Amino acid sequence: MAHVTFQDQYFRIPPVTRVYTTACVITTILTHLDLVTAFQLYYNPRLIFYHFQVWRILTTFLFFGSFGFNFLFNLIFTYRYCRMLEENQYHGRTADFVFMFLIGGLLMAVVGVFVQILFLGQAFTIMLVYIWARRNPLVRMNFFGLFNFQAPYLPWVLLGFSLLLGNPIAVDVLGIAVGHIYYYLEDVFPHQRGGFRILKTPWILKKLFDREADQPYAPLPEERPGGFDWGQDVPAQNQPQAAGGDD
């Protein structure tokens, strides 16, 4: 077997997942080295609109806190579920995936005007988890080896875990709410009687990001779901993986 370098592994990560998780890591490194501070990154609509510190619209989604358990936990979940969405439901549809990022980020930014949530990265992670979970309702999960459950319950298990750790759950609730809005508008409403597509990816995004379709993606065994105890997929006999479900 040919030697696979870190660079090879890195560039095998699909592009949106690679760019987003790399930006999260770089942001944390910069704050750890005191090159920037969290005060320069947090979401503040007044500073954005009146002092033109527009970078805060982006950096609020990139900072999970200083290096530690919370950072590692969020980064792993972000990488894992962002990558599975991009490689499966959005394979060959990079523009649609980017549009999902924009819609989710916009909804959170609007809500952030009215609530005191300074950093929206964790909420964005929960949104990704929620969308993946609703599109894979038959996948069985295992949380830290304690109990099994179906994938749609994963966001709520994470919310309960945040509660046990003493973290504020408003961020998780925001992520679940935005994830549900996107899932309903994209996967449920268009298939109901009288329904139609509300979320249509702008042509400019398709021109920028979509390329000629690649060959169907066939992940290696180590890249398939089930690499971690928390949120680990539990094999089930004759259990298909569905792409959607009733609301």
Side-chain angles (χ1 to χ4, degrees):
M1 181 177 178
H3 178 66
V4 179
T5 65
F6 173 80
Q7 182 177 351
D8 295 331
Q9 292 283 7
Y10 178 74
F11 283 102
R12 287 175 60 182
I13 302 171
V16 177
T17 303
R18 182 171 69 242
V19 169
Y20 181 53
T21 53
T22 300
C24 292
V25 172
I26 290 175
T27 301
T28 303
I29 291 175
L30 292 177
T31 58
H32 183 72
L33 297 176
D34 292 326
L35 297 177
V36 296
T37 68
F39 293 104
Q40 297 171 293
L41 306 177
Y42 74 92
Y43 185 65
N44 186 318
R46 179 174 293 275
L47 293 178
I48 292 171
F49 293 112
Y50 292 101
H51 296 272
F52 307 107
Q53 297 182 10
V54 294
W55 65 83
R56 293 178 183 271
I57 299 175
L58 180 62
T59 57
T60 185
F61 293 100
L62 302 180
F63 186 64
F64 294 133
S66 57
F67 286 114
F69 176 78
N70 191 61
F71 167 78
L72 183 63
F73 189 86
N74 280 285
L75 185 66
I76 289 175
F77 267 82
T78 299
Y79 168 78
R80 177 174 169 78
Y81 290 96
C82 187
R83 180 170 185 171
M84 287 198 292
L85 280 171
E86 187 171 5
E87 289 180 335
N88 290 280
Q89 281 86 12
Y90 290 96
H91 179 69
R93 299 168 51 214
T94 301
D96 293 338
F97 195 47
V98 171
F99 189 54
M100 185 200 77
F101 267 57
L102 294 177
I103 292 295
L106 177 62
L107 290 174
M108 291 182 190
V110 170
V111 174
V113 174
F114 305 99
V115 298
Q116 295 297 317
I117 298 179
L118 303 181
F119 292 102
L120 298 169
Q122 182 175 331
F124 197 83
T125 298
I126 295 295
M127 182 197 76
L128 295 173
V129 171
Y130 184 92
I131 294 170
W132 176 88
R134 290 303 299 267
R135 289 178 172 176
N136 297 271
L138 301 181
V139 175
R140 295 175 59 202
M141 316 290 292
N142 180 280
F143 192 76
F144 284 114
L146 298 177
F147 56 91
N148 298 330
F149 55 92
Q150 299 297 110
Y153 293 104
L154 178 58
W156 303 101
V157 171
L158 296 180
L159 185 149
F161 186 61
S162 292
L163 190 62
L164 287 175
L165 292 178
N167 297 328
I169 62 172
V171 175
D172 298 71
V173 171
L174 175 60
I176 290 173
V178 172
H180 182 74
I181 291 171
Y182 177 86
Y183 171 78
Y184 180 81
L185 295 178
E186 180 70 9
D187 291 46
V188 178
F189 180 72
H191 302 290
Q192 294 185 341
R193 180 174 298 179
F196 56 92
R197 286 288 304 277
I198 296 177
L199 303 178
K200 296 182 179 179
T201 303
W203 68 269
I204 186 65
L205 291 181
K206 289 185 175 294
K207 190 166 183 64
L208 286 173
F209 294 104
D210 281 353
R211 299 290 185 268
E212 185 175 349
D214 299 324
Q215 294 297 319
Y217 177 74
L220 297 174
E222 63 269 21
E223 294 177 318
R224 292 170 184 158
F228 306 98
D229 285 339
W230 53 89
Q232 182 176 348
D233 305 344
V234 178
Q237 292 182 345
N238 303 321
Q239 188 171 34
Q241 182 170 326
D246 295 331
D247 185 61

